[in-house]
Amino acid sequence: MSSILAQRRQKLLAMKALRSSPHVPVHARQDCPGCGQSVERRELASHHYVCPLCGYHHPVSAYYRLSLVLDKGTFRELDANLISNDPLHFPEYQAKLEQARRKTGTGEGVVTALGRIGGQKVAVGVLDSRFLMGSMSAALGEKVTRLVEQAGRGKLPLILFSASGGARMQEGILSLMQMAKTAAALERFSQRGGLYISGFTHPTTGGVTASFASLGDIQLAEPGALIGFAGPRVIEQTIGEKLPEGFQSAEYMLEHGFLDAIVSREQLRPTLIQLLGLHRKGGDEHGQP
Amino acid sequence: MANRDLTPAQRLALARHPDRPGTAQLIQGLFTDFFPQRGDRLCGEDGSILGGIARFHGRPVTVLGHQKGHGLEEHLACRFGMPNPEGYRKAQRILAQAEKFRRPVITFIDTPGAYPGLEAEARGQGEAIARTLAVMSALTVPVICVVTGEGGSGGALALGVGNRVLMLENAVYSVLSPEGFASILWKDASRSAQACEVMKLTAADLLDLGVIDQVIPEPEGGAHLAPQTLYHELDRALARDLDSLEKLRPQALAAGRYQKFRQMGANALRKERA
């Protein structure tokens, strides 16, 4: 019985990952923004959308990343039907949301789920940069907060992969308040001994960097990911000069002390399994009793 | 023009008025015995956040606020109230001491936003703000925040996680400056007056949205015309809130603050059948 369920879950996630497959348009070949070489799309897919020539990490959808890290047949999505309600009645916002939902197959800019990684039960969330740039809406903040609270109740390790352009302008101040809400939930989770692994993917900026993404016990990033608070253009305007090469890259953030490691997509699942193992105390439970 | 007839853009102008009482004036007007605390104990001191210990109606409190300064020299020294990470890390240190010595915390919010500079990024502006939010959310002493001028973006919210959040009548509080908002959404920073209309950034709007708890009336024409009148109003509101919060137990203060921010945006959600 449970194996049939697991098979179904696996199929569902595989279908969703396929349906929402990566940014790369459906051409036979794809020019790599990293090295400018043309790469066959099928080959790119077989390398987890990492350029086999230069190692450039193409952005991938939330479902695709989940299918990459979770044990087969363990994906159980949470709050899939929780969506934004256009609280400020902002012109054209409803239409934009509708369009983003159709494009990505998700209701909001984050997919949250329970699953297992190397047998360890985890609470995991992945932001999707194709959904209005993974911008922070009240619904996104709520889904993240619920995931943190659920991880706390179940004493599960928490893993969040961020990708965000910052605040959702159309939700104004309510978007801003999600920073306090998610940070408060994580502080509670941390005080009770919960393990939180934060993964930065390209790009993570603004209010997401300045809240939940930066509060991990362990902080990882994908190679080349842009990570920062202020956007590069705003900084250039402020200081009136061009930014140095590689500024705000994952490598720059590692050098400046804000990351534990840069992990290639290939090594992501093994690294998570290692980290979960190092925190395991027997059984599924993490943290203090 | 009477305060109640002001447009959002006119309020923004008052919130940014060069003579508007800043954190230093508010501290002088409301507290006695102020001892400023300086430095983040890591690498620097940031004058754009002013904080320390003072007495409010005789009892020691921790005060903390963005400092824009008056006059060009002061403006430049505190980057027009835009903190670097050192400022936020100093705030964390001061907040941790408030917790240790059981002092209530009163903050004043007045910043266009955190400083978007190269060094600020190199020293982790995002992490500094995130950590300040986390520290403030978990305090078990009373925390009262007052939006006094411009409340811009995460740089403002970092001092805004209070049990009570008050706002001066002509202050503004928003996800981003109206200029930044217009330039992101419409690629045209000059449409800031239009942005003011749609952003819901006035005290009355934010009271409706449940983001703030109380609007503090300002003297006609703005706080700068009669600061003493403003101090009197603010003093009354702070004393009343502090009295009621001090009756609560430490854990109830932290839990109450958690619940307050936990419900932010609850009306901005709906469930759709999958």
mmCIF file of all heavy atoms in Angstrom, chain B residues 75-112:
data_model
loop_
_atom_site.group_PDB
_atom_site.id
_atom_site.type_symbol
_atom_site.label_atom_id
_atom_site.label_comp_id
_atom_site.label_asym_id
_atom_site.label_seq_id
_atom_site.Cartn_x
_atom_site.Cartn_y
_atom_site.Cartn_z
ATOM 1 N N HIS B 75 24.486 65.184 8.487
ATOM 2 C CA HIS B 75 23.874 64.311 7.476
ATOM 3 C C HIS B 75 24.903 63.361 6.895
ATOM 4 O O HIS B 75 24.666 62.160 6.772
ATOM 5 C CB HIS B 75 23.302 65.148 6.321
ATOM 6 C CG HIS B 75 21.970 65.752 6.618
ATOM 7 N ND1 HIS B 75 21.023 65.142 7.397
ATOM 8 C CD2 HIS B 75 21.420 66.925 6.208
ATOM 9 C CE1 HIS B 75 19.962 65.925 7.464
ATOM 10 N NE2 HIS B 75 20.160 67.018 6.761
ATOM 11 N N LEU B 76 26.042 63.906 6.537
ATOM 12 C CA LEU B 76 27.069 63.081 5.904
ATOM 13 C C LEU B 76 27.632 62.073 6.896
ATOM 14 O O LEU B 76 27.864 60.915 6.553
ATOM 15 C CB LEU B 76 28.190 63.960 5.347
ATOM 16 C CG LEU B 76 27.782 64.820 4.132
ATOM 17 C CD1 LEU B 76 28.926 65.738 3.724
ATOM 18 C CD2 LEU B 76 27.342 63.956 2.956
ATOM 19 N N ALA B 77 27.810 62.526 8.159
ATOM 20 C CA ALA B 77 28.376 61.638 9.174
ATOM 21 C C ALA B 77 27.482 60.426 9.396
ATOM 22 O O ALA B 77 27.974 59.330 9.678
ATOM 23 C CB ALA B 77 28.591 62.396 10.475
ATOM 24 N N CYS B 78 26.168 60.606 9.293
ATOM 25 C CA CYS B 78 25.294 59.429 9.490
ATOM 26 C C CYS B 78 24.579 59.048 8.199
ATOM 27 O O CYS B 78 23.530 58.411 8.258
ATOM 28 C CB CYS B 78 24.350 59.609 10.671
ATOM 29 S SG CYS B 78 23.698 61.226 10.933
ATOM 30 N N ARG B 79 25.187 59.357 7.061
ATOM 31 C CA ARG B 79 24.651 58.946 5.755
ATOM 32 C C ARG B 79 23.137 59.153 5.671
ATOM 33 O O ARG B 79 22.404 58.269 5.251
ATOM 34 C CB ARG B 79 25.020 57.494 5.447
ATOM 35 C CG ARG B 79 26.503 57.247 5.151
ATOM 36 C CD ARG B 79 26.778 55.768 4.951
ATOM 37 N NE ARG B 79 26.264 55.028 6.090
ATOM 38 C CZ ARG B 79 26.861 54.959 7.266
ATOM 39 N NH1 ARG B 79 28.032 55.522 7.435
ATOM 40 N NH2 ARG B 79 26.306 54.319 8.257
ATOM 41 N N PHE B 80 22.649 60.320 6.106
ATOM 42 C CA PHE B 80 21.224 60.655 6.045
ATOM 43 C C PHE B 80 20.355 59.581 6.708
ATOM 44 O O PHE B 80 19.259 59.282 6.258
ATOM 45 C CB PHE B 80 20.779 60.882 4.593
ATOM 46 C CG PHE B 80 21.457 62.066 3.954
ATOM 47 C CD1 PHE B 80 22.711 61.943 3.365
ATOM 48 C CD2 PHE B 80 20.848 63.320 3.961
ATOM 49 C CE1 PHE B 80 23.351 63.031 2.788
ATOM 50 C CE2 PHE B 80 21.483 64.420 3.378
ATOM 51 C CZ PHE B 80 22.735 64.278 2.800
ATOM 52 N N GLY B 81 20.887 58.970 7.756
ATOM 53 C CA GLY B 81 20.094 57.990 8.498
ATOM 54 C C GLY B 81 20.043 56.608 7.870
ATOM 55 O O GLY B 81 19.165 55.813 8.200
ATOM 56 N N MET B 82 20.993 56.320 6.979
ATOM 57 C CA MET B 82 21.009 54.989 6.350
ATOM 58 C C MET B 82 22.125 54.153 6.969
ATOM 59 O O MET B 82 23.303 54.341 6.653
ATOM 60 C CB MET B 82 21.204 55.128 4.835
ATOM 61 C CG MET B 82 20.020 55.782 4.146
ATOM 62 S SD MET B 82 20.159 55.772 2.350
ATOM 63 C CE MET B 82 21.155 57.230 2.110
ATOM 64 N N PRO B 83 21.772 53.200 7.829
ATOM 65 C CA PRO B 83 22.806 52.459 8.569
ATOM 66 C C PRO B 83 23.605 51.490 7.707
ATOM 67 O O PRO B 83 23.105 50.943 6.722
ATOM 68 C CB PRO B 83 22.009 51.671 9.615
ATOM 69 C CG PRO B 83 20.682 52.344 9.689
ATOM 70 C CD PRO B 83 20.420 52.886 8.321
ATOM 71 N N ASN B 84 24.835 51.284 8.125
ATOM 72 C CA ASN B 84 25.672 50.189 7.644
ATOM 73 C C ASN B 84 25.442 48.987 8.570
ATOM 74 O O ASN B 84 24.804 49.130 9.619
ATOM 75 C CB ASN B 84 27.151 50.616 7.701
ATOM 76 C CG ASN B 84 27.596 51.281 6.402
ATOM 77 O OD1 ASN B 84 27.059 50.984 5.338
ATOM 78 N ND2 ASN B 84 28.566 52.167 6.511
ATOM 79 N N PRO B 85 25.981 47.819 8.225
ATOM 80 C CA PRO B 85 25.801 46.647 9.099
ATOM 81 C C PRO B 85 26.261 46.907 10.542
ATOM 82 O O PRO B 85 25.661 46.395 11.486
ATOM 83 C CB PRO B 85 26.660 45.577 8.438
ATOM 84 C CG PRO B 85 26.720 45.959 7.004
ATOM 85 C CD PRO B 85 26.681 47.453 6.974
ATOM 86 N N GLU B 86 27.300 47.749 10.728
ATOM 87 C CA GLU B 86 27.781 48.047 12.080
ATOM 88 C C GLU B 86 26.662 48.640 12.930
ATOM 89 O O GLU B 86 26.578 48.379 14.138
ATOM 90 C CB GLU B 86 28.946 49.045 12.047
ATOM 91 C CG GLU B 86 30.189 48.538 11.348
ATOM 92 C CD GLU B 86 30.068 48.614 9.829
ATOM 93 O OE1 GLU B 86 30.078 49.708 9.262
ATOM 94 O OE2 GLU B 86 29.941 47.543 9.218
ATOM 95 N N GLY B 87 25.824 49.460 12.296
ATOM 96 C CA GLY B 87 24.714 50.079 13.027
ATOM 97 C C GLY B 87 23.741 49.027 13.542
ATOM 98 O O GLY B 87 23.296 49.065 14.697
ATOM 99 N N TYR B 88 23.411 48.075 12.664
ATOM 100 C CA TYR B 88 22.457 47.030 13.075
ATOM 101 C C TYR B 88 23.081 46.095 14.110
ATOM 102 O O TYR B 88 22.402 45.604 15.005
ATOM 103 C CB TYR B 88 21.952 46.258 11.849
ATOM 104 C CG TYR B 88 21.114 47.149 10.971
ATOM 105 C CD1 TYR B 88 21.536 47.535 9.710
ATOM 106 C CD2 TYR B 88 19.909 47.667 11.451
ATOM 107 C CE1 TYR B 88 20.775 48.399 8.931
ATOM 108 C CE2 TYR B 88 19.148 48.527 10.689
ATOM 109 C CZ TYR B 88 19.590 48.888 9.425
ATOM 110 O OH TYR B 88 18.835 49.744 8.680
ATOM 111 N N ARG B 89 24.387 45.859 13.981
ATOM 112 C CA ARG B 89 25.042 44.968 14.970
ATOM 113 C C ARG B 89 25.183 45.682 16.314
ATOM 114 O O ARG B 89 25.104 45.047 17.366
ATOM 115 C CB ARG B 89 26.380 44.474 14.411
ATOM 116 C CG ARG B 89 26.116 43.590 13.192
ATOM 117 C CD ARG B 89 27.307 42.814 12.687
ATOM 118 N NE ARG B 89 26.852 41.982 11.565
ATOM 119 C CZ ARG B 89 27.276 42.104 10.313
ATOM 120 N NH1 ARG B 89 28.204 42.978 9.996
ATOM 121 N NH2 ARG B 89 26.784 41.326 9.370
ATOM 122 N N LYS B 90 25.360 46.996 16.259
ATOM 123 C CA LYS B 90 25.327 47.762 17.513
ATOM 124 C C LYS B 90 23.940 47.650 18.145
ATOM 125 O O LYS B 90 23.814 47.431 19.357
ATOM 126 C CB LYS B 90 25.672 49.236 17.244
ATOM 127 C CG LYS B 90 25.462 50.131 18.463
ATOM 128 C CD LYS B 90 26.044 51.526 18.275
ATOM 129 C CE LYS B 90 25.093 52.436 17.515
ATOM 130 N NZ LYS B 90 25.580 53.838 17.479
ATOM 131 N N ALA B 91 22.909 47.756 17.310
ATOM 132 C CA ALA B 91 21.535 47.636 17.814
ATOM 133 C C ALA B 91 21.324 46.277 18.487
ATOM 134 O O ALA B 91 20.741 46.189 19.574
ATOM 135 C CB ALA B 91 20.535 47.833 16.672
ATOM 136 N N GLN B 92 21.832 45.212 17.859
ATOM 137 C CA GLN B 92 21.682 43.869 18.456
ATOM 138 C C GLN B 92 22.331 43.803 19.832
ATOM 139 O O GLN B 92 21.791 43.219 20.768
ATOM 140 C CB GLN B 92 22.341 42.810 17.552
ATOM 141 C CG GLN B 92 21.611 42.561 16.249
ATOM 142 C CD GLN B 92 22.469 41.790 15.264
ATOM 143 O OE1 GLN B 92 23.263 40.934 15.646
ATOM 144 N NE2 GLN B 92 22.320 42.072 13.984
ATOM 145 N N ARG B 93 23.501 44.414 19.929
ATOM 146 C CA ARG B 93 24.241 44.406 21.197
ATOM 147 C C ARG B 93 23.452 45.159 22.273
ATOM 148 O O ARG B 93 23.326 44.699 23.414
ATOM 149 C CB ARG B 93 25.599 45.071 20.964
ATOM 150 C CG ARG B 93 26.494 45.146 22.159
ATOM 151 C CD ARG B 93 27.834 45.739 21.787
ATOM 152 N NE ARG B 93 27.841 47.192 21.701
ATOM 153 C CZ ARG B 93 27.842 48.002 22.750
ATOM 154 N NH1 ARG B 93 27.818 47.504 23.973
ATOM 155 N NH2 ARG B 93 27.853 49.307 22.593
ATOM 156 N N ILE B 94 22.913 46.308 21.896
ATOM 157 C CA ILE B 94 22.165 47.124 22.853
ATOM 158 C C ILE B 94 20.868 46.425 23.266
ATOM 159 O O ILE B 94 20.457 46.460 24.428
ATOM 160 C CB ILE B 94 21.918 48.521 22.242
ATOM 161 C CG1 ILE B 94 23.251 49.280 22.146
ATOM 162 C CG2 ILE B 94 20.893 49.304 23.037
ATOM 163 C CD1 ILE B 94 23.159 50.642 21.477
ATOM 164 N N LEU B 95 20.240 45.736 22.294
ATOM 165 C CA LEU B 95 19.006 45.001 22.601
ATOM 166 C C LEU B 95 19.302 43.831 23.547
ATOM 167 O O LEU B 95 18.519 43.545 24.467
ATOM 168 C CB LEU B 95 18.361 44.481 21.309
ATOM 169 C CG LEU B 95 17.758 45.560 20.395
ATOM 170 C CD1 LEU B 95 17.390 44.966 19.034
ATOM 171 C CD2 LEU B 95 16.529 46.192 21.047
ATOM 172 N N ALA B 96 20.424 43.150 23.321
ATOM 173 C CA ALA B 96 20.782 42.024 24.191
ATOM 174 C C ALA B 96 21.004 42.514 25.625
ATOM 175 O O ALA B 96 20.659 41.825 26.594
ATOM 176 C CB ALA B 96 22.037 41.327 23.659
ATOM 177 N N GLN B 97 21.549 43.731 25.762
ATOM 178 C CA GLN B 97 21.735 44.283 27.109
ATOM 179 C C GLN B 97 20.412 44.674 27.756
ATOM 180 O O GLN B 97 20.251 44.549 28.971
ATOM 181 C CB GLN B 97 22.675 45.486 27.064
ATOM 182 C CG GLN B 97 24.120 45.068 27.142
ATOM 183 C CD GLN B 97 25.051 46.259 27.240
ATOM 184 O OE1 GLN B 97 24.686 47.318 27.745
ATOM 185 N NE2 GLN B 97 26.255 46.073 26.749
ATOM 186 N N ALA B 98 19.491 45.153 26.943
ATOM 187 C CA ALA B 98 18.163 45.470 27.470
ATOM 188 C C ALA B 98 17.546 44.208 28.068
ATOM 189 O O ALA B 98 16.952 44.223 29.146
ATOM 190 C CB ALA B 98 17.273 46.038 26.367
ATOM 191 N N GLU B 99 17.727 43.096 27.364
ATOM 192 C CA GLU B 99 17.214 41.813 27.839
ATOM 193 C C GLU B 99 17.914 41.424 29.145
ATOM 194 O O GLU B 99 17.280 41.037 30.134
ATOM 195 C CB GLU B 99 17.469 40.749 26.754
ATOM 196 C CG GLU B 99 17.051 39.333 27.113
ATOM 197 C CD GLU B 99 15.568 39.071 26.904
ATOM 198 O OE1 GLU B 99 14.853 39.964 26.390
ATOM 199 O OE2 GLU B 99 15.119 37.976 27.284
ATOM 200 N N LYS B 100 19.236 41.546 29.156
ATOM 201 C CA LYS B 100 20.021 41.153 30.327
ATOM 202 C C LYS B 100 19.624 41.963 31.567
ATOM 203 O O LYS B 100 19.454 41.407 32.649
ATOM 204 C CB LYS B 100 21.512 41.351 30.027
ATOM 205 C CG LYS B 100 22.427 41.061 31.194
ATOM 206 C CD LYS B 100 23.888 41.285 30.822
ATOM 207 C CE LYS B 100 24.769 41.156 32.060
ATOM 208 N NZ LYS B 100 26.161 41.521 31.761
ATOM 209 N N PHE B 101 19.485 43.269 31.395
ATOM 210 C CA PHE B 101 19.210 44.125 32.554
ATOM 211 C C PHE B 101 17.714 44.432 32.719
ATOM 212 O O PHE B 101 17.341 45.311 33.488
ATOM 213 C CB PHE B 101 20.029 45.420 32.453
ATOM 214 C CG PHE B 101 21.512 45.169 32.531
ATOM 215 C CD1 PHE B 101 22.318 45.333 31.419
ATOM 216 C CD2 PHE B 101 22.104 44.733 33.713
ATOM 217 C CE1 PHE B 101 23.685 45.089 31.484
ATOM 218 C CE2 PHE B 101 23.463 44.476 33.785
ATOM 219 C CZ PHE B 101 24.257 44.653 32.674
ATOM 220 N N ARG B 102 16.885 43.698 31.968
ATOM 221 C CA ARG B 102 15.419 43.802 32.076
ATOM 222 C C ARG B 102 14.927 45.237 31.872
ATOM 223 O O ARG B 102 14.066 45.713 32.604
ATOM 224 C CB ARG B 102 14.930 43.263 33.433
ATOM 225 C CG ARG B 102 15.425 41.895 33.828
ATOM 226 C CD ARG B 102 15.091 40.782 32.878
ATOM 227 N NE ARG B 102 13.679 40.694 32.492
ATOM 228 C CZ ARG B 102 13.262 40.044 31.412
ATOM 229 N NH1 ARG B 102 14.105 39.460 30.588
ATOM 230 N NH2 ARG B 102 11.979 39.986 31.122
ATOM 231 N N ARG B 103 15.482 45.918 30.862
ATOM 232 C CA ARG B 103 15.007 47.266 30.560
ATOM 233 C C ARG B 103 14.012 47.217 29.410
ATOM 234 O O ARG B 103 14.289 46.567 28.393
ATOM 235 C CB ARG B 103 16.176 48.161 30.120
ATOM 236 C CG ARG B 103 17.088 48.632 31.235
ATOM 237 C CD ARG B 103 18.019 49.711 30.726
ATOM 238 N NE ARG B 103 19.021 49.217 29.792
ATOM 239 C CZ ARG B 103 20.255 48.843 30.152
ATOM 240 N NH1 ARG B 103 20.630 48.917 31.415
ATOM 241 N NH2 ARG B 103 21.109 48.406 29.259
ATOM 242 N N PRO B 104 12.889 47.909 29.524
ATOM 243 C CA PRO B 104 11.996 48.043 28.368
ATOM 244 C C PRO B 104 12.728 48.755 27.228
ATOM 245 O O PRO B 104 13.657 49.527 27.476
ATOM 246 C CB PRO B 104 10.860 48.925 28.878
ATOM 247 C CG PRO B 104 10.943 48.888 30.358
ATOM 248 C CD PRO B 104 12.381 48.636 30.701
ATOM 249 N N VAL B 105 12.300 48.469 25.983
ATOM 250 C CA VAL B 105 12.950 49.044 24.805
ATOM 251 C C VAL B 105 11.988 49.984 24.091
ATOM 252 O O VAL B 105 10.821 49.635 23.862
ATOM 253 C CB VAL B 105 13.387 47.927 23.827
ATOM 254 C CG1 VAL B 105 13.965 48.528 22.548
ATOM 255 C CG2 VAL B 105 14.395 46.994 24.491
ATOM 256 N N ILE B 106 12.478 51.176 23.759
ATOM 257 C CA ILE B 106 11.690 52.110 22.950
ATOM 258 C C ILE B 106 12.527 52.479 21.730
ATOM 259 O O ILE B 106 13.689 52.878 21.865
ATOM 260 C CB ILE B 106 11.327 53.369 23.758
ATOM 261 C CG1 ILE B 106 10.420 52.970 24.937
ATOM 262 C CG2 ILE B 106 10.611 54.392 22.874
ATOM 263 C CD1 ILE B 106 10.211 54.069 25.959
ATOM 264 N N THR B 107 11.966 52.274 20.518
ATOM 265 C CA THR B 107 12.734 52.592 19.313
ATOM 266 C C THR B 107 12.044 53.670 18.491
ATOM 267 O O THR B 107 10.814 53.792 18.503
ATOM 268 C CB THR B 107 12.949 51.359 18.406
ATOM 269 O OG1 THR B 107 11.706 51.009 17.781
ATOM 270 C CG2 THR B 107 13.476 50.168 19.181
ATOM 271 N N PHE B 108 12.846 54.451 17.770
ATOM 272 C CA PHE B 108 12.338 55.482 16.866
ATOM 273 C C PHE B 108 12.811 55.179 15.449
ATOM 274 O O PHE B 108 14.016 55.050 15.203
ATOM 275 C CB PHE B 108 12.841 56.865 17.308
ATOM 276 C CG PHE B 108 12.405 57.234 18.689
ATOM 277 C CD1 PHE B 108 13.330 57.439 19.706
ATOM 278 C CD2 PHE B 108 11.052 57.367 18.993
ATOM 279 C CE1 PHE B 108 12.925 57.778 20.988
ATOM 280 C CE2 PHE B 108 10.636 57.700 20.276
ATOM 281 C CZ PHE B 108 11.574 57.910 21.275
ATOM 282 N N ILE B 109 11.858 55.060 14.531
ATOM 283 C CA ILE B 109 12.170 54.648 13.163
ATOM 284 C C ILE B 109 12.141 55.864 12.247
ATOM 285 O O ILE B 109 11.125 56.545 12.134
ATOM 286 C CB ILE B 109 11.166 53.581 12.689
ATOM 287 C CG1 ILE B 109 11.343 52.316 13.535
ATOM 288 C CG2 ILE B 109 11.334 53.282 11.200
ATOM 289 C CD1 ILE B 109 10.231 51.317 13.377
ATOM 290 N N ASP B 110 13.275 56.141 11.597
ATOM 291 C CA ASP B 110 13.363 57.294 10.701
ATOM 292 C C ASP B 110 14.532 57.107 9.744
ATOM 293 O O ASP B 110 15.624 57.630 9.960
ATOM 294 C CB ASP B 110 13.542 58.575 11.540
ATOM 295 C CG ASP B 110 13.501 59.835 10.672
ATOM 296 O OD1 ASP B 110 12.986 59.762 9.535
ATOM 297 O OD2 ASP B 110 13.972 60.877 11.141
ATOM 298 N N THR B 111 14.301 56.355 8.686
ATOM 299 C CA THR B 111 15.369 56.088 7.718
ATOM 300 C C THR B 111 14.785 55.875 6.325
ATOM 301 O O THR B 111 13.719 55.272 6.191
ATOM 302 C CB THR B 111 16.175 54.828 8.118
ATOM 303 O OG1 THR B 111 17.177 54.579 7.125
ATOM 304 C CG2 THR B 111 15.290 53.604 8.226
ATOM 305 N N PRO B 112 15.497 56.346 5.294
ATOM 306 C CA PRO B 112 15.056 55.999 3.939
ATOM 307 C C PRO B 112 15.295 54.519 3.648
ATOM 308 O O PRO B 112 14.723 53.961 2.721
ATOM 309 C CB PRO B 112 15.956 56.852 3.042
ATOM 310 C CG PRO B 112 16.673 57.812 3.933
ATOM 311 C CD PRO B 112 16.678 57.217 5.307
#
